[in-house]
Structure formats: C-alpha cells, structure tokens
Amino acid sequence: HRAALALQVDAAELLGTPSLSFEALDREQLQLAFVFCNESLCQMKEAELSALQHLLQERVLAANVAACHLAFAGFEAFPPDKTWLVARFKVPEPLLHLRKAVWRACREFGVAYPDALWLPCIKVGRFRGPKGQVDKITSLDCLAQYSPTTPARALGLTVVCGEHHGLACDEWARALSFEQGNPLDTGTP
C-alpha cells in the first residue's frame, strides 16, 4: 500500500510520465481475488447457499492453511489496458490446492466462472491519464523501495456479492477463516 500512496502523491514524477496521476485504493478495498463467481451466487435460495457455505467451510478446514504466507513477487501494470497497478504474490502449494478445491465447489453449485489461469495479485490503485501516457510506463523499478519486506498472510476467504437476502457476511467470514479452532464459534473475538 506504501507504493500506491507514493504514486498518489506524484505518479508523474516517480514514473517520468507527465500528465499521469494515480488513484490509490483504500486499505479496506485491497483483496486478492480467489475465485470469480457469477451472478447466480446472489440468486441462490437460502438452503443452497447454506449448503455451499458448509462445503466451502469443509474445504477451508481440510486445507489447514492458517500458516500460509504469500511472498511478494513485484509490482506490475495489469493487462489488458495496464491502467491498474497490482502487487503480485508467490502462493504456497496449500493455498493453490485450496483455490482449486473452492473453485470446484463453486462450480458444483453453478456459481463459478470457467476456471482460468490464476494470477495471485492485489489491485492497489489505478493510473489516470491519457492512454499515451499510460503506455509510456515501461518500468516500475522505482517502486522497489516501497515493496513489502515481510510476506503477506492470508486470513481467510471473503464472499463479495451484491445484495443477497440470505448472505450474512459475518457468518461467512467466520466459516471461511483460516484461523484454527471452531470457525463458527461466535464467542468473544
């Protein structure tokens, strides 16, 4: 997030591209997309939604990924138009296996888009300016000084969905947490 904030202060100077600005995402908006689901997720009946939640919870518990850390791999301008700055990560095998298991579970319920190559990255902000200026970004080496020095830690999965009458986000967050113990324990956090 430090790189995004530095770019927001003066992207044109840092990147040597006049007329270029940068809009950093807020910390709360930062997320690593795990599985893209279609609009059918938001149209599921409550019983189906509950069954999917329990299946995903089983997959998360079986994966035992509480200690997974993601090593920072670098910054890049995300294709196709390269207007998004992303932080790329190297993902450990247990998290890769969990991602595949979650995708398969979502596919069973008809809510997952067809699987594609997963590029573990977090959007940190967006370049703003004329297309010609964005195209002039040839290197992001100037951001190396803002690179994370410690690995990121995955805390759990979050379901991001439009309004759904049966989707209680806090309940899903507990069910899909990577923390050990009973994920459905609603006692003191």
Side-chain angles (χ1 to χ4, degrees), residues 40-56 105 108-111 164-166 172:
S40 297
L41 177 67
C42 294
Q43 299 167 359
M44 291 178 81
K45 295 189 181 339
E46 197 165 337
E48 290 177 303
L49 195 59
S50 180
L52 175 60
Q53 178 188 27
H54 290 306
L55 183 58
L56 294 179
E108 284 177 38
F109 280 82
V111 299
H164 188 289
H165 62 278
W172 277 76

Side-chain angles (χ1 to χ4, degrees), residues 1-22:
H1 199 246
R2 292 181 319 132
L5 296 177
L7 281 169
Q8 189 163 287
V9 170
D10 198 354
E13 176 70 26
L14 266 175
L15 298 172
T17 51
S19 305
L20 190 68
S21 63
F22 188 80

Side-chain angles (χ1 to χ4, degrees), residues 32 70-74 86-91 119-122 148 150-152:
L32 184 135
L70 294 87
F72 178 72
V86 299
R88 292 284 311 269
F89 292 88
K90 296 176 189 166
V91 178
L119 300 172
C121 62
I122 297 174
T150 57

Side-chain angles (χ1 to χ4, degrees), residues 89-175:
F89 292 88
K90 296 176 189 166
V91 178
E93 284 296 316
L95 205 53
L96 288 171
H97 292 297
L98 175 60
R99 192 251 174 210
K100 188 59 111 175
V102 166
W103 176 79
R104 286 181 178 145
C106 289
R107 183 186 63 184
E108 284 177 38
F109 280 82
V111 299
Y113 281 111
D115 201 20
L117 177 64
W118 183 43
L119 300 172
C121 62
I122 297 174
K123 288 181 180 178
V124 296
R126 185 170 213 151
F127 295 106
R128 300 286 186 190
K131 175 89 170 106
Q133 292 299 313
V134 173
D135 288 341
K136 287 183 182 178
I137 300 171
T138 57
S139 173
L140 296 171
D141 292 343
C142 63
L143 299 180
Q145 62 185 320
Y146 303 105
S147 298
T149 55
T150 57
R153 183 171 159 249
L155 301 176
L157 304 181
T158 302
V159 177
V160 180
C161 180
E163 292 300 315
H164 188 289
H165 62 278
L167 188 60
C169 292
D170 56 340
E171 182 182 314
W172 277 76
R174 283 189 303 275

